[in-house]
Amino acid sequence: MARPGQCREDIKRALAGLGWEVRTDDEGSGAVMSAHGKYHLMVSFEGEKPTSVLISYVGKGGEILSRKWPGTEHLPSPQSVVRAFS
């Protein structure tokens, strides 16, 4: 069982609270997906444990940032992601 603040529902709530549009994973991977315009964020899991965050920009010259799972308290806001890719 995931620690408090680490389950999919907690992560979805944290992302929505930061301003991300949380989406359903249509591919059945179990990942938590979110977007803000051309910016996308995905939290990957191994079983019930979050393992990493992948942030991508799908505009011209797209970019990807990846890091180990930082915890819900360290998830980036859409505004900080826009600044990072600017």
Side-chain angles (χ1 to χ4, degrees):
M1 184 171 173
R3 295 181 309 176
Q6 306 288 317
C7 74
R8 284 177 178 79
E9 291 306 314
D10 290 343
I11 293 167
K12 288 177 184 179
R13 279 191 292 276
L15 289 169
L18 288 167
W20 290 97
E21 176 187 326
V22 180
R23 299 180 177 175
T24 306
D25 176 20
D26 296 331
E27 296 180 20
S29 70
V32 173
M33 313 288 283
S34 59
H36 179 78
K38 293 183 178 184
Y39 301 89
H40 299 257
L41 184 146
M42 179 178 77
V43 177
S44 297
F45 289 79
E46 282 185 19
E48 294 298 314
K49 182 180 176 190
T51 57
S52 64
V53 176
L54 180 79
I55 304 166
S56 61
Y57 172 66
V58 296
K60 185 176 180 181
E63 298 181 50
I64 296 176
L65 298 173
S66 179
R67 64 188 277 196
K68 291 177 74 172
W69 174 245
T72 53
E73 64 277 3
H74 298 289
L75 287 170
S77 69
Q79 296 77 19
S80 66
V81 169
V82 169
R83 282 192 305 273
F85 282 115
S86 295

